[in-house]
């Protein structure tokens, strides 16, 4: 039997943007796969393991450009 990965909303910052991997059906509606802020998703999406961190962005960021000037 494989290991089960338990997730919960507290693993993410409240204003963090995350990836919803699969559709999430709740009594209040349907959440399609895509990018969402943590606060916009229901707890069930986290409990079912449908949410993951976005990969870091590669390339020049605004921080690195500002530090050069």
């Amino acid at each position: 039997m494989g290991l089960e990965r338990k997730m919960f909303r507290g693993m993410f910052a409240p204003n963090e943007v995350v990836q919803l991997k699969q559709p999430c059906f709740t009594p209040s509606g349907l959440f399609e796969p895509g990018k969402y802020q943590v606060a916009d998703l229901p707890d069930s999406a986290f409990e079912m393991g449908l949410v993951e961190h976005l990969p870091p962005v590669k390339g020049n960021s605004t921080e690195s450009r500002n530090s050069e000037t």
Side-chain angles (χ1 to χ4, degrees):
M1 184 163 93
L3 294 175
E4 184 177 335
R5 203 172 95 185
K6 290 285 185 180
M7 298 186 75
F8 59 98
R9 184 183 298 274
M11 295 175 62
F12 303 91
N15 60 350
E16 183 178 352
V17 176
V18 294
Q19 180 75 31
L20 183 63
K21 301 183 290 185
Q22 297 177 14
C24 180
F25 300 96
T26 65
S28 61
L30 165 68
F31 292 86
E32 294 287 337
K35 297 177 185 176
Y36 293 89
Q37 283 196 338
V38 170
D40 295 339
L41 291 172
D43 288 336
S44 58
F46 296 93
E47 293 165 2
M48 291 188 295
L50 303 178
V51 179
E52 62 183 25
H53 292 277
L54 288 176
V57 177
K58 293 183 180 179
N60 292 336
S61 68
T62 56
E63 293 177 14
S64 64
R65 282 189 239 147
N66 290 340
S67 64
E68 292 173 3
T69 60

